[in-house]
Amino acid sequence: MCNASNAGLPSLWRGLALTADGLACQRGARVLFRDLTFAVRCSEALVVTGPNGAGKSSLLRIVAGLLAPQAGAIRIDGLPAEARPAESIHYLGHDDAVKPALTVRENLGFWRTLLGASGLAVDDALEEVGLPGLGRLPAGVLSAGQKRRLAIARLLVTRRPVWVLDEPTTALDVTAQARFAALGRAHLADGGLILAATHTPLDFGTGARALTLGGPVAARAPGKADDDGAFDDASGGAP
Amino acid sequence: MMAAFLALTRRDLALALRAGGGAGLGVVFFLSVVAVVPFAVGPDLVLLARIGPAILWIGAMLASLIGLERLFASDVEDGSLDALTGSVLPLELVAAAKGLAHWLATGLPLVIAAPFLALMLNLDLAAIGALVATLAVGTPAVTALGLIGAAFAGAFRRGGLLIAVLVLPLAIPVLIFAVSATSAAVTGPVPFGTPFQVLVGLALFALVLGPVAAAAALRAARG
């Protein structure tokens, strides 16, 4: 496992694990899921799939600390004692958090200062996501896919162990999707972990597992806990 | 944390100044109010000098509210607020930084423009000095209280109406003591210092209450 074999890991991220214990989420009268329990360790990706409205985004927002669960808790182990959980998570939501009036470089530089300048320099990150030479353009002239790339660059300018990604490849072309998957694999190789919701298949390599959220739980017979979050281990290693 | 606070203030200031509205819009609104009043009241210089501080303060207070409804709404809509949650800044300081930027873009130009507009209302030098002092202390308080309305408008996606309804009642004490301090400087009998000190106290209270309440509103609405 990741603690043993990778001597090159940043020592901060060793033994990193994200555990969700008995999560329940209710929106209005609808129970989206309950008794959802899973664990993601370092160098692992958990890909959440399911039909629209199954609660994928809500789950990710709960993990990122943006939404309080009705029951259960999220735990991140293996962080340095002084770190707040929110400061070890990158949350990439549906929206790009890009200001059209600022230039591409200003947008990314702002997030680099706000989130911590622990990763790539702004121009290197733009290069990495395939936006080289566009730094001086106002972000408003970018296409939807280019704005998405700019949002993804945010993951690179600040190094954080946990990536929570909600439909990260929306609007990306096929090349950019492959490029993004490669960035994800590099993050996993560094000992990070990924929790992603997606409808497009993303190749995160051997550390990827899938979690399928079903339809509304309320519509089913109240059953055992495992009915609600069905695991499908792609690479072995039960949670 | 200081670097993050300043970066957020700088970004919001750049957005306010580049988006075309910002500083200019508030000052133009202020100018319109003050320019129209002498026509409505008539050419009675004594009367103008007496109600001048009140007119200027009403204009400045309403101009301070311009742009507040988009202050948090734009960050909520484009996902910036979610990403800001992962920064070292607590939401209270996020609100404070945005409030500071809004005041620099909207409130400060009003303070600078006020002496010139005061001349149009026949205010004498002592009154102008008092007016500028009260505006310099009072407009940050109005902006800080405005953060509460701005947070609700952003969180619940309802625009300007909420701001006026929520903020104006809270800002009334600021208005009362600011205008009475200015009047005191001109006519007495109370010395300028007495109402002005109350105004400073109200401003300090608002500067703490505004960001904390705005952050609480944003958190409460997040569900």
Side-chain angles (χ1 to χ4, degrees), chain B residues 125-146:
Chain B
L125 260 172
I128 291 177
L131 178 78
V132 172
T134 56
L135 280 175
V137 173
T139 49
V142 174
T143 301
L145 295 170

Side-chain angles (χ1 to χ4, degrees), chain B residues 3-215:
Chain B
F5 184 88
L6 290 177
L8 181 55
T9 306
R10 214 167 27 238
R11 180 199 70 155
D12 264 42
L13 198 55
L15 287 174
L17 299 181
R18 271 181 222 179
L25 199 59
V27 171
V28 169
F29 177 82
F30 192 33
L31 175 71
S32 324
V33 170
V34 174
V36 162
V37 165
F39 293 105
V41 172
D44 180 347
L45 285 179
V46 180
L47 179 63
L48 276 181
R50 195 154 53 84
I51 64 172
I55 302 296
L56 285 159
W57 245 98
I58 291 170
M61 189 169 85
L62 295 179
S64 292
L65 301 183
I66 290 175
L68 274 178
E69 76 273 6
R70 295 296 306 158
L71 194 67
F72 290 105
S74 60
D75 279 348
V76 169
E77 282 161 16
D78 72 7
S80 295
L81 197 69
D82 289 342
L84 279 170
T85 309
S87 78
V88 290
L89 289 180
L91 265 182
E92 285 79 5
L93 286 181
V94 168
K98 294 181 74 67
L100 175 61
H102 185 266
W103 182 76
L104 289 175
T106 311
L108 188 59
L110 297 177
V111 178
I112 294 169
F116 303 102
L117 299 184
L119 292 175
M120 294 170 60
L121 296 177
N122 192 33
L123 263 61
D124 60 24
L125 260 172
I128 291 177
L131 178 78
V132 172
T134 56
L135 280 175
V137 173
T139 49
V142 174
T143 301
L145 295 170
L147 287 176
I148 304 171
F152 275 108
F156 299 115
R157 316 210 164 173
R158 294 285 185 281
L161 187 65
L162 251 182
I163 303 234
V165 169
L166 280 174
V167 175
L168 284 180
L170 294 172
I172 291 293
V174 175
L175 181 71
I176 290 174
F177 285 98
V179 174
S180 59
T182 315
S183 304
V186 186
T187 55
V190 196
F192 171 73
T194 312
F196 188 70
Q197 278 166 3
V198 178
L199 177 66
V200 172
L202 283 172
L204 291 175
F205 177 68
L207 289 178
V208 175
L209 175 73
V212 171

Side-chain angles (χ1 to χ4, degrees), chain A residues 77 196 235:
Chain A
D77 297 314
S235 65

